[in-house]
Amino acid sequence: MYKRGYYQGFGGAFLPEILTATFDQLESVFETAKSDPQFWSGYEKVMSTYSCRPTPLTFAENLTRHFGGARIYIKREDLNHTGAHKANNVMGQGLLVQRMGKTRVIAETGAGQHGVATATMAARFGFDCTIYMGAVDVERQRPNVFWMERLGATVVPVTNGTRILKDAINEAFRDWVSNMDSTHYVLGTACGPHPFPEMVTYFQSIIGQEARRQILTAEGRLPTRVYACVGGGSNAMGLFSGFLNDPVELVGVEAGGKGLDSGAHASRLCASDASVGVAQGYKTYFLQNSDGQMKETHSIAAGLDYVGVSPILSHFKETGKARFEASTDREVIEAVALTMRKEGLIPALESAHAFARAFKEAPQLSTEDVIIINQSGRGDKDIFTIADAFGDPAWKEFIIHKAEQYKQ
Ligand SMILES: Cc1ncc(COP(=O)(O)O)c(C=O)c1O
């Protein structure tokens, strides 16, 4: 263990000795890149020519009228190439992999968005690519598995443990330990051992930097509050980064699942059954039992279904720098339905957690207030879950018909 990368008691790097040199190399390449002004401008150029940056900040006129309170703006990370904010981190780490001269990338994925983004980056930069994904997530995010494989990645379904994101992370670390010389592990969120929380936040900070500029142009003032969903914490850290020195309230929204008292949720920062521990190489709030064994988590959104959370956000919780809330599965489906009907936008189930909370609070604010919600991704990937939630009979019939065709 070495003691860099602490956020007042959270974070750190609890590593097997064999990985120390690899982490030292990563940290040194990252530090050099960060202090090179050409690196950030090169990164912005890649993101503007290959992805869709700057992503727009959309005024949600109909939702604003509907709630009659704060003016609601939506930061459109769904318009990134591959449909989510994950591209920001992945392309940035890809540039670091080029600097390190490595030829292979591996990643974990939950919703599949980070896996698709990594497979896309690997195809573009010419790296070999292996993606670890819990077998449960393979099942619920099948379209993304299809795309990862078509993009040239090997997708390994992880059948250990509870077969979700945390198990995929464990498997990716196992691979890395055996292949450090050729391989970089593209961790997908602001978690894990130092320097990942800082590095992922650095690349995702492009969201907040743009959003701050855009809201000042649109409204001539700062927002009252900004909302982002919290899985591992990368899109939240990205948006929050733009407003850290401003009088703006930062609101992170976790997966309340079937309710915080149900035991079926993935809320580490606002549920009473989470506690501080060390796992997967870092110290933070985890959903764990009194022996330190990880608990099962639940969320309608695969990308929020994780036991740990960014150590930086744990630090923000302790210091009151940000406020944390949870939205339930049911509230999330209602928020998706309303956003589609009122604005013609389809937020990912993950993002819809932030929408649901903002919708609760917007009517209590005045028409002078401005809020920004981060639409971290688009909901196309969630078609199976959303169709089930709406109980759409025509969709069900279509799937049954398709399955019958495959049987012939
Ligand atoms: C669209 C989308 N939003 C949010 C998340 C949660 O990740 P994070 O908290 O790192 O932003 C995911 C994770 O897969 C995602 O796909």
Side-chain angles (χ1 to χ4, degrees), residues 69-90:
R71 293 170 67 73
I72 303 173
Y73 281 82
I74 300 174
K75 180 62 174 159
R76 301 292 309 285
E77 290 304 298
D78 57 306
L79 294 179
N80 266 300
H81 181 40
T82 70
H85 69 297
K86 297 289 176 186
N88 305 329
N89 168 43
V90 156

Side-chain angles (χ1 to χ4, degrees), residues 84-86 111 113 188-189 229-235 303-304 348 350-351 376-377 381:
H85 69 297
K86 297 289 176 186
Q113 292 301 99
T189 189
C229 68
V230 179
S234 70
N235 85 94
L304 304 189
E350 289 79 8
S351 322
S376 55
K381 69 179 175 55

Side-chain angles (χ1 to χ4, degrees), residues 177-188:
V177 167
S178 319
N179 300 293
M180 293 166 299
D181 292 344
S182 64
T183 300
H184 172 67
Y185 176 11
V186 186
L187 219 155

Side-chain angles (χ1 to χ4, degrees), residues 77-78 83-86 109-115 144 165 188-191 200 204 207 228-238 253 268 301-305 309-310 313 347-352 374-379 381-382:
E77 290 304 298
D78 57 306
H85 69 297
K86 297 289 176 186
T109 196
Q113 292 301 99
H114 175 57
N144 275 340
L165 186 58
T189 189
C191 285
V200 175
Q204 294 293 3
I207 304 173
C229 68
V230 179
S234 70
N235 85 94
M237 280 309 303
V253 189
R268 297 79 14 116
L304 304 189
D305 205 349
V309 67
S310 175
L313 291 178
L349 287 171
E350 289 79 8
S351 322
N374 199 27
Q375 183 164 341
S376 55
R378 63 175 190 233
K381 69 179 175 55
D382 301 316

